[in-house]
Amino acid sequence: MKKIINNPDQIVDEMLNGLVFAYDSLVERIPETTVVHRKADKNGKVGLVSGGGSGHEPSHAGFVGKGMLSAAVAGQVFTSPTPDQVLEGIKASDEGAGVFLVIKNYTGDVMNFEMAQDMADLEDIEVETIVVDDDIAVEDSTFTAGKRGIAGTVLVHKILGAAAEEGKSLQEIKEITDQLIPNIKSIGVALSPATNPEVGSPGFELEEDEIEFGVGIHGEPGYRREKLQPSKDLAKELVDKLKSEFEWSENEEYAVLVNGMGATPLMEQFVFMNDVKKLLVDEEKLSLPFRKVGDYMTSIDMEGLSLTLVKLEDKKWLDYLNAPVKTISW
């Protein structure tokens, strides 16, 4: 294992310290916690909190700032943060209008964030939640009951962050998410596994010429292994899966995110986006008014990528996706 680290047991603590030092104009670390909190002026609006295991950077701390998250709570690598840490994030983000929790669908995350919600209720902080389950690859997998939450979560941060900045109430944000979540779907492909620095070995094995469709962001099993294929064939596989879920019609509007898994060069991500464009725009005749490419929800050093589509059922969502923010990584 080759990693630029010191003690694997201290990697999350040292990472958070480095992050807040590098971007101290935007964020701060709440002392004695794993919470990264934004420095934007308090405005009495709904706070937005997310988080989860480390190893997915820039998720989630990279999206803390004006217009997106109020705070992100980090766990150990691929491990949910504890309820008391999540509670500290809630308390730091409460400005009197309540706090909304965005939770990826993993058993530990759901349990610990909901326990923190109960704890916040005892401190008279109103909290609402949503569970993101955008991964259509498999129905149940390691660490989950139901579909996993992956890169689509970042677009939830963006849309809800803009809604909160606009002054939407806690209940109004809950109503947005209830409509939004069924319209976000993602699927990925891995070319190589991730190596957890706290474990020291890859989470699974792929031969040099193998790929796996549907691998999760913690290395959970996908749905099929095949020999390496050209980008255009990978794009067709993922687009076909999404088409079967959305059952779209010509001229419908979608947002698209091509997300790198951590070790995929941007050159390759842009090649893939070009192939996605040919399929979705040239062949399927969809409109893609919002497009984004880059590393947003990674899996340490995994080679691969994911494709997320959001059906823009509400025209306001496009405005929210384009709204300005001040964060590290958007």
Side-chain angles (χ1 to χ4, degrees), residues 142-153:
T142 316
F143 310 127
T144 75
K147 296 180 293 182
R148 304 171 294 212
I150 56 173
T153 308

Side-chain angles (χ1 to χ4, degrees), residues 12-22 29:
V12 173
D13 187 59
E14 293 180 350
M15 173 189 70
L16 293 176
N17 285 340
L19 182 146
V20 298
F21 175 73
R29 184 174 177 182

Side-chain angles (χ1 to χ4, degrees), residues 110-150:
V110 173
M111 178 177 67
N112 289 351
F113 274 75
E114 290 184 347
M115 286 179 64
Q117 179 184 14
D118 293 338
M119 295 160 68
D121 183 61
L122 297 175
E123 301 200 22
D124 295 322
I125 301 174
E126 188 177 4
V127 176
E128 288 283 358
T129 69
I130 194 68
V131 176
V132 183
D133 59 351
D134 56 310
D135 188 354
I136 65 169
V138 294
E139 183 61 33
D140 298 290
S141 184
T142 316
F143 310 127
T144 75
K147 296 180 293 182
R148 304 171 294 212
I150 56 173

Side-chain angles (χ1 to χ4, degrees), residues 21-310:
F21 175 73
Y23 297 99
D24 65 354
S25 65
L26 296 175
V27 296
E28 62 187 354
R29 184 174 177 182
I30 304 301
E32 308 301 321
T33 76
T34 59
V35 178
V36 174
H37 184 259
R38 69 184 181 190
K39 283 188 171 180
D41 293 338
K42 294 185 181 298
N43 52 26
K45 298 176 182 178
V46 171
L48 191 64
V49 176
S50 192
S54 297
H56 305 303
E57 292 73 33
S59 290
H60 298 273
F63 307 115
V64 172
K66 185 177 177 63
M68 287 188 78
L69 297 179
S70 305
V73 191
Q76 294 302 306
V77 177
F78 292 173
T79 303
S80 173
T82 60
D84 61 306
Q85 294 288 305
V86 178
L87 178 62
E88 292 301 320
I90 293 171
K91 289 162 63 176
S93 303
D94 178 35
E95 299 180 13
V99 175
F100 198 91
L101 302 181
V102 180
I103 311 167
K104 299 192 305 300
N105 190 32
Y106 298 96
T107 302
D109 284 1
V110 173
M111 178 177 67
N112 289 351
F113 274 75
E114 290 184 347
M115 286 179 64
Q117 179 184 14
D118 293 338
M119 295 160 68
D121 183 61
L122 297 175
E123 301 200 22
D124 295 322
I125 301 174
E126 188 177 4
V127 176
E128 288 283 358
T129 69
I130 194 68
V131 176
V132 183
D133 59 351
D134 56 310
D135 188 354
I136 65 169
V138 294
E139 183 61 33
D140 298 290
S141 184
T142 316
F143 310 127
T144 75
K147 296 180 293 182
R148 304 171 294 212
I150 56 173
T153 308
V154 178
L155 300 181
V156 176
H157 295 162
K158 184 65 184 68
I159 291 171
L160 299 191
E165 189 67 28
E166 190 179 64
K168 296 293 187 185
S169 69
L170 194 62
Q171 188 55 46
E172 286 173 326
I173 290 174
K174 175 64 174 173
E175 291 169 0
I176 291 171
T177 59
D178 288 342
Q179 182 184 3
L180 175 63
I181 296 304
N183 285 290
I184 301 182
K185 302 183 189 300
S186 304
I187 189 168
V189 59
L191 281 65
S192 71
T195 298
N196 185 333
E198 295 180 349
V199 176
S201 59
F204 60 97
E205 293 183 2
L206 282 174
E207 297 298 329
E208 188 65 28
D209 62 346
E210 277 187 325
I211 59 172
E212 184 164 353
F213 290 109
V215 171
I217 57 174
H218 307 100
E220 304 98 324
Y223 63 88
R224 191 172 79 247
R225 287 192 179 187
E226 289 200 5
K227 298 297 184 181
L228 181 62
Q229 304 168 13
S231 171
K232 62 182 180 180
D233 295 333
L234 300 179
K236 183 167 181 12
E237 171 79 19
L238 301 192
V239 166
D240 283 350
K241 289 288 187 181
L242 290 164
K243 181 179 180 179
S244 67
E245 291 285 329
F246 280 112
E247 298 181 344
W248 54 57
S249 302
E250 288 186 8
N251 301 316
E252 287 183 349
E253 291 191 333
Y254 286 81
V256 57
L257 169 66
V258 171
N259 170 70
M261 298 300 292
T264 304
L266 277 170
M267 175 185 285
E268 296 172 28
Q269 294 182 43
F270 286 125
V271 168
F272 182 82
M273 175 60 99
N274 185 53
D275 291 323
V276 167
K277 178 262 181 186
K278 292 176 182 177
L279 292 167
L280 293 181
V281 178
D282 299 346
E283 295 185 17
E284 297 293 329
K285 308 301 182 185
L286 299 182
S287 174
L288 304 178
F290 180 87
R291 305 172 291 276
K292 206 161 185 68
V293 177
D295 289 355
Y296 295 96
M297 178 76 71
T298 66
S299 182
I300 311 178
D301 57 352
M302 182 185 289
E303 286 185 277
L305 48 76
S306 61
L307 176 62
T308 299
L309 292 179
V310 182

